[in-house]
Amino acid sequence: MGSFASDYLGRLTTILGALNARELDQAIEVIRGVWQAGGQIITLGNGGSAITALHFATDWSKGVFEATRRPFRGRSLIDNMGIVTAYANDVSYADVFVEQLRNIATPQDLVVAISGSGNSENVVRAVRYANEIGCETLGLVGYSGGKVKPLAKHVVWAQVNDMQIAEDVHAIFGHIVMQALCRTEG
């Protein structure tokens, strides 16, 4: 019987090795550009991806500011449970992100939409709306990329049919962004 840990790490290593570094660098530059222009970086997702979205907003807002002394206007649409549940109850769960974006997003902003499957309806609607108002959009997806992959202007795609490995790749991307932005001259 083989080691489950070795098997998992082997699959993760294979997917990491297959990532397109140029696409990752382009995604980093989109984030850097919006940040340096003073726009907001708005993150969102469901389930594990919601926590990744919150992790990004936390790391980038605190760590990038501390390293560069340049304000980072990061926020996550999942950190206010009152507003999430109010929209879910009063409008629909499919619109919990769109309704928040209507109130806060401007064309100078970036919406970072995280969905392992790429098919979460509330994430798809958020990307569609953000595109309509002129925001930059970055989709982080796994599997086939779902509906988000062709909809988002920029994509980080973990081409794997495994939710946990896709989520690992997305988390690693967030840490790559953190280190890249922290090396930016203020």
Side-chain angles (χ1 to χ4, degrees), residues 78-97:
I78 61 91
D79 62 355
N80 183 330
M81 288 310 300
I83 201 159
V84 170
T85 58
Y87 281 127
N89 184 64
D90 299 343
V91 181
S92 76
Y93 190 73
D95 291 314
V96 296
F97 300 136

Side-chain angles (χ1 to χ4, degrees), residues 15 18-19 141-145 149 156-162 166 169:
I15 296 305
L19 291 174
V141 296
Y143 292 82
S144 68
K149 184 174 177 267
V156 170
W157 180 26
Q159 194 173 353
V160 60
N161 293 333
D162 183 309
V169 170

